[in-house]
Amino acid sequence: MDNTEERLKDAIKQTAPGTALRHALDMIIAGHLGALICIGDEDNVIAAGDDGFKLDVYFTANRLFELCKMDGAVVVDKDLTQILRANYHLNPSPSLPTSETGMRHRTAARMSLLTSAYVISVSERRQVVTVYVDGKGRQLRPVSQLMSSVNQLLVSLQNSRIQLDRALLRLTTLELDNYVTVADVAQVLYLFEVLMTIGDELEGIIIELGTEGRSVRMQRDEFVGDMDEEYTLMIRDYARDSSEEAAVKLRREFRETSNRLLRSPKRVAELLGFEGYEEDSVLTPLGLRTLNNVSVVRKGMADKIVDEYGSLQQLMDDIEQNPDRLDDLGVDNPSILADSLYRMWGKRA
């Protein structure tokens, strides 16, 4: 995520429901007013304007609302603790690029380019609030509209998690059978990416919802759960470079890959580092994901086991004949590990 997106995300947090700033904005909308509010980078903002009133008073939602009844901008410090200026006339250079048409929105966009302030514009005619950062605007959506999107995304998230859970159960069996194809891996990685994409989209809405999004976050966390870590382990299991750094890079590449190509087993194999592999080509998993799902395998132990054995199948081949090898690695209960793996395989009750 680039710096502008990070700053815009922070600005959205400051204007989310439950904050004093959002309360003021709601009052401005209800009062059918227009407004221009600059937050932060006070010195540069003040240098770009003139006239108005110097206040230096404590920030409250009611004060901001009342001051927005006047023309001009209101200047607030970055911590939202003091209102510094009201009825302030801003004069950013007209040469600064913007695609906005209304005077208030053009000024807001240009001020966000000229300074590092967050600039909020409230349209008196359309009664919408737009937040500007680095010349980029984001219109605030009402809670009712956000909740409509939330409901759709939660249904999609639930369905994706069900599909992924089924695919992972099947994949574990195939791994223990030592017959996993590129097509099998590509399908699971695609489902992981779908789940994470929906989860990220929902996270963005949760930020916009502020205090109204607490229950939504609980539901999101229930569906996404520890799948973020499992996704990384899945990539490390099958990528030619199994390091965590390579897995993080691959996840970025998967995110940037089009939906059509992400469904292509051949393209997924190429991303994993296997040129020329077809959908029925066989891949050998390291076993990190499966081992991490066994209760007796402590955190970090799966990597040691994989380093020692090389793959899940070599572990399965050796686990009964030479359990002392696992003792030497620090596995407290090799027999329980063996039983757990065999139960996953369905070969032992």
Side-chain angles (χ1 to χ4, degrees), residues 202-267:
L202 194 55
E203 177 66 25
I205 296 179
I206 290 169
I207 290 172
E208 287 190 66
L209 283 170
T211 55
E212 301 290 331
R214 290 171 183 166
S215 63
V216 180
R217 180 175 294 283
M218 292 174 65
Q219 293 177 77
R220 177 198 176 277
D221 291 347
E222 180 183 349
F223 290 129
V224 175
D226 57 359
M227 285 295 107
D228 188 73
E229 181 182 2
E230 190 137 341
Y231 187 12
T232 299
L233 291 172
M234 170 81 182
I235 292 174
R236 292 182 65 199
D237 267 344
Y238 290 97
R240 189 176 290 279
D241 183 345
S242 63
S243 67
E244 288 190 36
E245 295 78 9
V248 170
K249 182 180 178 183
L250 270 172
R251 284 188 60 166
R252 285 197 298 265
E253 291 183 17
F254 283 135
R255 177 56 56 92
E256 294 166 1
T257 301
S258 69
N259 185 63
R260 180 180 63 84
L261 289 177
L262 202 57
R263 283 180 170 274
S264 165
K266 186 173 182 179
R267 178 55 182 155

Side-chain angles (χ1 to χ4, degrees), residues 86-99:
N87 193 28
Y88 202 64
H89 294 211
L90 298 171
N91 302 299
S93 171
S95 64
L96 291 169
T98 177
S99 59

